[in-house]
Amino acid sequence: MEEADNMIFINRGLKRTSIRGYMAVLLLFAFFYFVTGGDWKFALIVFPSVFFLLFMDIKYSITNENTLEFYHLFGRSKKKTIFISDISEIMINQHRLSLDYKTSEDLYPRSTFLELTETDMKIIVDELMKRNPKIIIS
């Protein structure tokens, strides 16, 4: 029942990131193909697909527990959880939010980003500011 109250946002840059990633992995396999002289046709098709399905952010969620969660593998498992109270700064670029946060174990701040539509960016910034008014926006 709590799951229904979570705010969910889809990664806007999924297609663009997928294309770049596929190109990089294909070039890597082509390099190994020519260096080793092997026949990797099957791997050239299957490995990039599996790689990006496992490791790409598919969606983001703001939960009732004041956390920002990053999901991958078609939203079935969490990749990363950030407490909203740990976020110190949000840098807004075109369709990209860069978040600086620092946990109690960290000596230096960490950084991550979210790729969103303009509408989703406004909603998520407003929601984060409402839950943690100490966040600096730049």
Side-chain angles (χ1 to χ4, degrees), residues 7 12 25 28 40-42 59-62 66 74-75 82 85 87 92 103 110 125:
M7 300 174 74
R12 175 200 168 275
V25 172
L28 180 68
W40 292 13
K41 292 177 187 172
F42 180 73
K59 65 181 180 179
Y60 317 106
S61 175
I62 297 178
N66 285 334
F74 294 107
I82 300 172
S85 60
I87 299 173
I92 301 173
T103 63
R110 296 182 187 190
V125 169

Side-chain angles (χ1 to χ4, degrees), residues 77-95:
S77 63
K78 284 189 272 186
K79 176 180 177 182
K80 176 175 22 177
T81 300
I82 300 172
F83 289 97
I84 294 175
S85 60
D86 293 339
I87 299 173
S88 59
E89 185 176 1
I90 299 175
M91 290 171 274
I92 301 173
N93 297 324
Q94 186 176 1
H95 301 295

Side-chain angles (χ1 to χ4, degrees), residues 23-40:
M23 295 291 286
V25 172
L26 286 174
L27 288 173
L28 180 68
F29 273 110
F31 172 75
F32 282 119
Y33 176 79
F34 287 116
V35 169
T36 62
D39 186 17
W40 292 13

Side-chain angles (χ1 to χ4, degrees), residues 5-9 60-70 80-90 97 99-104 110 112 114 123-137:
D5 294 336
N6 293 343
M7 300 174 74
I8 297 173
F9 304 93
Y60 317 106
S61 175
I62 297 178
T63 66
N64 294 332
E65 291 82 31
N66 285 334
T67 60
L68 178 62
E69 297 177 343
F70 293 71
K80 176 175 22 177
T81 300
I82 300 172
F83 289 97
I84 294 175
S85 60
D86 293 339
I87 299 173
S88 59
E89 185 176 1
I90 299 175
L97 291 178
L99 303 175
D100 290 341
Y101 64 98
K102 186 174 180 181
T103 63
S104 59
R110 296 182 187 190
T112 190
L114 293 82
I123 293 170
I124 203 165
V125 169
D126 290 342
E127 188 65 28
L128 291 174
M129 288 300 295
K130 184 175 19 170
R131 294 182 186 212
N132 183 3
K134 295 178 182 177
I135 296 175
I136 299 168
I137 298 189

